[in-house]
Amino acid sequence: MKYYSTNGKAPLATLEEAVVRGLAPDRGLYMPERIKSLSGSFFEEIDKMSFQEMACHVAQAFFGEDVEEKALNDIVCDTLAFDTPAVKVEENIYSLELFHGPTLAFKDVGARFMARLLQYFIRKEGKKQVNVLVATSGDTGSAVANGFLGVEGIHVYVLYPKGKVSNIQESQFTTLGKNITAIEVDGVFDDCQALVKSAFMDGELNAHMNLTSANSINVARFLPQAFYYFNAYAQMKRLGKGDNMVICVPSGNFGNITAGLFGKRMGLPVKRFIAANNANDIFYNYLQSGKYEPKPSIQTLANAMDVGDPSNFARIIDLYKGCHADISAEISGATYSDEQIAQTMRQCHATTGYVLDPHGACGYQALKDLLHEGETGVFLETAHPAKFKEKVDSILQADVQIPERLAEFMKGKKLSVPMSAQFSDFKEFLLSR
Ligand SMILES: *Cc1c(COP(=O)(O)O)cnc(C)c1O
């Protein structure tokens, strides 16, 4: 299968090229040339399959032309070593908990899948070591570092701003060792991103080492998120609630929901989608007005969704050939202020006992506001509330338990390389490796 760029000015790429490059040379996002439908019998049998089994079918449709069948199934099974259970919160509203992966974030799946796929291509072609550079303000770094941990042939450099990342997050990528190097930059997130960008553009550095990015727009990180939607449907079908299923996705860069839209194109019977936003309401406004007007992001309680120019908007436009009417027929929007998010968390906790994190709270509230009679709502709970413990505790006046896995990270010894925000220092460091 070939991949084209949403900007239409780059040559078609193979899967391997699309994965290694991330962004197309014309700065567009890669899209697969075809989206294959899955058979009726697959959907009839899906409720009898394990998460891994159904995901193998989905992965074959995406990547089966480019990766040997057994290798691909191994990658899927290794990636999905945990379940994403749908937990009933109240009548007709379910929380699909995506946070049971190694760093308790839904980004774990995409990160691990990409690591293993890249490893597959490196081995197949006998390439020398590949080096992944990733700048993080917290969550992406931990998911990528853990996804790539111990994967032979790949070294990961995580750049993060000194003093600007929570302790829990920092411990998730600075305590790992092995093929993960954490770099503590004396600056802000934008400095980290600038260092990474400069490194990709530096000829001498690229001649010295193979560099690649693990950006969230990478097809290998983005497409595997479709697995979640099939698992949601299978679980609802088991409960006799597979018809009229509405899926609500707390969205920032819109990668997760776009993977769901791909699922629907493959035949997954989702009635419609809701994109839940925090105060960053660019997509919501687009649905209302037909105009896409990116703005600088606003800091909110649900900070992984603080995005003012969602990168996957280009994929949504491409998928619907730019037709606003078709987009708004399949996706509704909602936007919530921090005050509303906190109020929702308190209301849900008081009436149902369920502890939402600030991102999931947007999803839950959008279902409360927009679900119709006869529909079953599933919202994606994208992070474990303990990842935002301070905020959640103070909003709920509670003491959220830190899961064992998270506590383990915090016991580890922090190892990081101090670095100035000067590119010359970073370059010298990389050249010495
Ligand atoms: C990344 C993230 C989101 C947003 O996902 P997108 O694919 O960028 O829309 C939502 N919640 C959490 C906790 C995240 O980490």
Side-chain angles (χ1 to χ4, degrees):
M1 178 106 60
K2 289 290 201 306
Y3 290 78
Y4 64 90
S5 162
T6 52
N7 282 350
K9 296 194 177 69
L12 292 177
T14 62
L15 173 63
E16 182 184 353
E17 287 163 345
V19 172
V20 170
R21 283 185 203 142
L23 206 62
D26 62 358
R27 312 206 61 75
L29 276 66
Y30 281 117
M31 292 281 278
E33 271 195 316
R34 279 168 291 114
I35 301 174
K36 292 185 190 167
S37 295
L38 292 164
S39 67
S41 62
F42 167 74
F43 291 109
E44 267 158 44
E45 299 291 317
I46 194 171
D47 52 334
K48 297 175 193 79
M49 294 179 196
S50 69
F51 187 18
Q52 292 179 341
E53 245 177 291
M54 71 183 83
C56 284
H57 285 274
V58 177
Q60 289 296 340
F62 285 141
F63 306 118
E65 292 176 17
D66 305 294
V67 184
E68 285 140 41
E69 182 173 347
K70 168 137 185 2
L72 183 55
N73 290 347
D74 284 349
I75 292 173
V76 171
C77 291
D78 173 70
T79 300
L80 300 179
F82 58 92
D83 198 15
T84 61
V87 175
K88 183 172 178 176
V89 177
E90 60 188 65
E91 210 48 43
N92 296 327
I93 297 188
Y94 292 80
S95 167
L96 189 76
E97 296 184 345
L98 305 189
F99 54 66
H100 295 282
T103 77
L104 312 180
F106 83 88
K107 293 185 176 69
D108 285 331
V109 159
R112 183 70 180 171
F113 191 92
M114 178 182 168
R116 294 294 316 270
L117 191 62
L118 200 52
Q119 182 189 39
Y120 169 81
F121 288 126
I122 292 169
R123 279 191 184 151
K124 201 171 129 195
E125 262 133 69
K127 268 200 192 131
K128 61 175 184 158
Q129 176 170 289
V130 169
N131 300 279
V132 171
L133 303 182
V134 60
T136 186
S137 54
D139 258 14
T140 300
S142 44
V144 169
N146 282 274
F148 282 78
L149 180 64
V151 176
E152 257 171 69
I154 308 178
H155 198 98
V156 177
Y157 297 91
V158 181
L159 287 81
Y160 70 103
K162 180 177 175 178
K164 305 261 182 340
V165 169
S166 81
N167 269 333
I168 293 185
Q169 288 176 325
E170 194 178 1
S171 68
Q172 287 179 310
F173 53 80
T174 56
T175 58
L176 301 170
K178 295 189 190 163
N179 60 329
I180 311 297
T181 302
I183 299 182
E184 185 178 39
V185 175
D186 194 1
V188 295
F189 171 66
D190 290 340
D191 294 312
C192 301
Q193 206 155 28
L195 289 177
V196 169
K197 280 194 181 150
S198 303
F200 286 128
M201 292 189 314
D202 190 280
E204 193 184 349
L205 210 47
N206 283 277
H208 176 73
M209 63 210 297
N210 266 333
L211 294 178
T212 189
S213 91
N215 197 297
S216 69
I217 52 93
N218 200 296
V219 289
R221 276 193 60 192
F222 141 76
L223 281 173
Q225 297 172 145
F227 302 154
Y228 297 140
Y229 297 80
F230 290 84
N231 200 19
Y233 174 65
Q235 293 183 69
M236 290 303 112
K237 191 163 186 278
R238 269 174 222 141
L239 299 173
K241 290 178 171 286
D243 302 331
N244 292 321
M245 181 179 71
V246 175
I247 300 195
C248 181
V249 190
S251 295
N253 261 323
F254 283 72
N256 198 358
I257 196 170
T258 304
L261 299 172
F262 271 68
K264 187 163 161 115
R265 286 286 166 97
M266 297 165 89
L268 186 68
V270 182
K271 187 177 171 201
R272 59 196 184 94
F273 290 87
I274 302 173
N277 283 151
N278 57 25
N280 293 279
D281 55 4
I282 294 84
F283 188 76
Y284 176 82
N285 292 338
Y286 166 77
L287 290 177
Q288 313 311 309
S289 70
K291 289 196 205 87
Y292 181 70
E293 296 174 322
K295 317 186 256 203
S297 63
I298 309 167
Q299 271 196 21
T300 75
L301 275 174
N303 62 10
M305 292 156 43
D306 293 350
V307 180
D309 185 5
S311 40
N312 287 288
F313 184 73
R315 284 195 169 114
I316 297 180
I317 288 293
D318 193 272
L319 208 52
Y320 292 88
K321 302 195 163 54
C323 180
H324 176 259
D326 289 352
I327 294 174
S328 40
E330 278 195 355
I331 318 170
S332 333
T335 168
Y336 299 105
S337 67
D338 276 0
E339 225 166 282
Q340 288 171 308
I341 290 173
Q343 181 54 31
T344 295
M345 289 167 66
R346 284 190 286 264
Q347 175 272 320
C348 181
H349 187 237
T351 58
T352 72
Y354 193 78
V355 178
L356 293 162
D357 98 292
H359 306 80
C362 297
Y364 168 82
Q365 189 61 46
L367 285 177
K368 296 283 278 185
D369 292 340
L370 299 172
L371 202 63
H372 302 153
E373 188 75 30
E375 292 176 336
T376 300
V378 178
F379 68 95
L380 306 191
E381 182 38 296
T382 47
H384 191 290
K387 286 198 89 171
F388 304 91
K389 180 169 169 52
E390 281 162 34
K391 292 174 186 169
V392 176
D393 282 357
S394 93
I395 290 167
L396 299 183
Q397 297 292 307
D399 182 15
V400 174
Q401 288 294 304
I402 297 188
E404 186 63 32
R405 224 168 325 144
L406 211 49
E408 279 304 314
F409 283 114
M410 297 177 76
K411 285 186 210 149
K413 185 171 158 36
K414 269 190 210 169
L415 290 169
S416 55
V417 179
M419 187 68 58
S420 81
Q422 295 290 324
F423 178 61
S424 52
D425 289 338
F426 182 49
K427 180 175 173 179
E428 193 182 323
F429 169 76
L430 287 179
L431 286 174
S432 73
R433 308 277 300 178

